[in-house]
Amino acid sequence: EEAMKEATGIREKEAAAFAALKAEADTNTVAIAKAIGALEKGMAGSFLQTETAQVIRNLANDDKINMAESDRQDLVAFLSQGSQYAPQSGQVTGILKEM
């Protein structure tokens, strides 16, 4: 009976950790989808001032996110400089779609 309680406790702890990771992943997925939509509509300037843009900035700066360093630099530069940034939003949209 003690082993069952211990096993149940472990499963509950793992379930809570998974739920937290899933919630974060879901938030990130929604943010990426919103970013892509805004960029495809040509609304990059207004998008850069949103909370969603901040989520994307955090993702771009997260070393745990698997992306090419050149893509990471392009994305961070775009998010930091906005419309002054040289590469077109199509390139940034492509990077976001790969995330």
Side-chain angles (χ1 to χ4, degrees), residues 21-37 52 55-56 59 65 96-97 99:
L21 287 173
K22 183 177 181 329
E24 181 180 358
D26 290 347
T27 299
N28 294 343
T29 301
V30 169
I32 290 170
K34 286 181 179 179
I36 291 169
T52 301
V55 171
I56 301 296
L59 284 173
I65 301 297
L96 291 173
K97 286 181 178 180
M99 290 176 74

Side-chain angles (χ1 to χ4, degrees), residues 25-89:
D26 290 347
T27 299
N28 294 343
T29 301
V30 169
I32 290 170
K34 286 181 179 179
I36 291 169
L39 293 173
E40 288 178 339
K41 291 179 182 175
M43 299 169 34
S46 61
F47 164 74
L48 293 172
Q49 299 171 10
T50 65
E51 185 176 321
T52 301
Q54 184 59 45
V55 171
I56 301 296
R57 278 185 200 91
N58 292 342
L59 284 173
N61 289 314
D62 187 345
D63 292 334
K64 294 180 267 181
I65 301 297
N66 184 19
M67 73 176 0
E69 189 58 32
S70 61
D71 288 346
R72 184 181 312 276
Q73 290 173 0
D74 285 345
L75 186 56
V76 168
F78 171 76
L79 292 168
S80 298
Q81 298 176 17
S83 60
Q84 301 168 352
Y85 183 61
Q88 298 178 3
S89 63

